[in-house]
Amino acid sequence: MNQTQLVRNTESLGYLPNSSFVNLGETAKFATGHNVLGQINYATEAIDPKVSSGHPVLSLQMTDSTLDGFAEFWTTPRPVESGEHDGISYAHDGEYFLCAGRIPQAQEYAKATESAYVTALDLITTLDYTNCFRMWNFVNQINDANSDGLEIYRDFCLGRANAFERFKFNETEVPAATGIGSLGGGIAFYFLTCRSSVPTTIENPQQMSAYHYPKRYGPKSPKFARATHLIPANTIGQAGHVYVSGTASITGHETRFHRDIEKQTHLALENIGRVVDAANLSAYELANGYNLSDLNNVKVYVRHRDDIPQVREICEQALSPTADVRYLNVDICRSDLLVEIEGIVN
Ligand code: 3EB
């Protein structure tokens, strides 16, 4: 592994990374004009992460149609260094770090998930970017049973939890995440972490913390927070970004509104509103408050393709007309969940 020569002073680090959705046909042009920490293609084919044109590129199989695909670019004002290590591709700029990995299709995933996560977590330790603030996980056949009869989502959760235990990751400090279905390619993931910026993990008062879900949802609970608030170092008390996890129709720990796409969509949106509002953030000594019209970079995951028009109508009513909102037809991590929504207040 190359040791970084990047600047380590914390002055002039008062910035946050930027995220943009770009049409798949325009990625080369976009990349040329930016310092890219990572490019995630929400595309028609799963491809192992690799460093290309100086940044990690991960392709997820998330749609059957190139027309619905897009690339999510993470950019920074500062130059980046990139590399590959044990199957993980990564880039970093002295403050922010992005890494991507993939676990090939298998009969069971817990061990390979633990191992890939440990590799990534070791890397952030070595390079000194240990503040994790956002993780995404794309799990093919997420609701199917593995070779031991354990649902693949639960199998994944077991491996992730074991990796976090090995890493001595306090479960109350785990970041915002998405754990969602995909159309192929085993399990792909990417993480965003930082060095000096300050993450605050946020929970939802009307949802049980996922890491406290009871055993009936699997042998080890899903380790993620409902959102992460992030501010640059030395800017305590100022507004930051809020990275909102994949959010579904759950109150307490229970799925609400079985088979009712309209009510599930409304509750998912309501849950996001509760996470980012002033009343909730004040409990974390954060002075700002937001609502759904502040959400951008939104991904809406819909289990049944035919539900997309209705979900779109509800989301368009609730979200800002200027928000970039993308719809993907994939499975959700519980078989009774029909929709899941994530986004960023930035
Ligand atoms: C939930 O609230 C819905 O396992 O990383 C949402 C976000 C969900 C992240 C994950 C799962 C995950 O339990 C599912």
Side-chain angles (χ1 to χ4, degrees):
M1 192 193 315
N2 290 328
Q3 281 304 308
T4 177
Q5 299 298 313
L6 291 167
V7 179
R8 280 172 184 265
N9 73 23
T10 52
E11 287 165 17
S12 77
L13 291 182
Y15 65 94
L16 291 160
N18 187 72
S19 168
S20 318
F21 298 157
V22 175
N23 291 336
L24 288 173
E26 292 161 18
T27 58
K29 181 166 176 269
F30 182 91
T32 304
H34 291 89
N35 300 313
V36 179
L37 277 171
Q39 173 185 345
I40 315 302
N41 297 324
Y42 288 71
T44 56
E45 192 189 357
I47 306 173
D48 279 340
K50 65 166 191 290
V51 172
S52 172
S53 307
H55 62 266
V57 179
L58 172 67
S59 292
L60 307 168
Q61 190 173 339
M62 293 297 282
T63 173
D64 293 328
S65 160
T66 308
L67 291 176
D68 298 332
F70 59 95
E72 179 181 284
F73 272 92
W74 285 92
T75 62
T76 149
R78 293 172 54 136
V80 304
E81 284 183 13
S82 57
E84 294 178 348
H85 175 71
D86 271 3
I88 304 287
S89 295
Y90 63 91
H92 53 121
D93 75 342
E95 177 54 39
Y96 296 102
F97 172 95
L98 182 147
C99 71
R102 190 162 80 89
I103 300 147
Q105 194 88 30
Q107 299 292 306
E108 68 96 34
Y109 286 101
K111 284 198 179 64
T113 300
E114 177 178 343
S115 157
Y117 257 65
V118 165
T119 301
L121 294 170
D122 281 346
L123 191 57
I124 69 173
T125 307
T126 304
L127 295 175
D128 188 22
Y129 293 92
T130 51
N131 296 338
C132 297
F133 60 94
R134 188 65 171 92
M135 297 178 164
W136 283 264
N137 303 282
F138 302 88
V139 181
N140 183 221
Q141 297 181 292
I142 190 165
N143 301 131
D144 292 355
N146 74 2
S147 53
D148 298 328
L150 182 66
E151 186 187 42
I152 288 177
Y153 173 62
R154 299 174 181 201
D155 186 10
F156 159 76
C157 283
L158 178 60
R160 172 174 59 181
N162 287 338
F164 284 180
E165 282 169 30
R166 273 174 65 181
F167 192 65
K168 300 198 172 21
F169 214 143
N170 186 334
E171 64 180 17
T172 60
E173 290 167 7
V174 294
T178 292
I180 197 75
S182 74
L183 305 178
I187 298 178
F189 62 86
Y190 62 105
F191 301 169
L192 280 162
T193 79
C194 62
R195 180 172 287 164
S196 322
S197 294
V198 183
T200 305
T201 57
I202 311 289
E203 293 298 312
N204 179 340
Q206 69 181 18
Q207 292 190 297
M208 179 183 284
S209 293
Y211 45 80
H212 288 152
Y213 283 172
K215 277 272 190 290
R216 65 180 244 220
Y217 296 104
K220 288 204 178 164
S221 60
K223 307 297 187 205
F224 67 95
R226 298 298 174 185
T228 307
H229 178 273
L230 186 70
I231 48 171
N234 311 320
T235 59
I236 308 297
Q238 293 181 36
H241 289 179
V242 187
Y243 302 90
V244 180
S245 291
T247 304
S249 177
I250 294 172
T251 48
H253 57 77
E254 266 163 324
T255 300
R256 300 283 308 280
F257 307 123
H258 289 76
R259 289 174 293 280
D260 186 332
I261 186 63
E262 188 182 334
K263 289 201 172 119
Q264 286 208 11
T265 307
H266 280 295
L267 181 54
L269 289 166
E270 181 190 321
N271 274 328
I272 293 177
R274 289 284 177 101
V275 167
V276 301
D277 72 19
N280 194 41
L281 296 188
S282 71
Y284 301 88
E285 286 162 32
L286 301 170
N288 291 276
Y290 305 97
N291 58 51
L292 285 171
S293 68
D294 298 310
L295 198 69
N296 203 347
N297 304 84
V298 181
K299 288 172 218 149
V300 183
Y301 305 99
V302 183
R303 180 182 292 276
H304 302 301
R305 176 175 295 283
D306 291 350
D307 287 339
I308 291 179
Q310 202 176 354
V311 171
R312 186 191 295 269
E313 204 176 297
I314 296 165
C315 290
E316 283 176 358
Q317 288 288 324
L319 302 171
S320 162
T322 60
D324 199 344
V325 186
R326 306 294 173 129
Y327 297 84
L328 294 160
N329 172 214
V330 290
D331 289 338
I332 319 293
C333 70
R334 290 182 188 178
S335 51
D336 50 17
L337 288 172
L338 303 174
V339 60
E340 186 170 304
I341 306 171
E342 62 170 69
I344 305 174
V345 174
N346 55 12

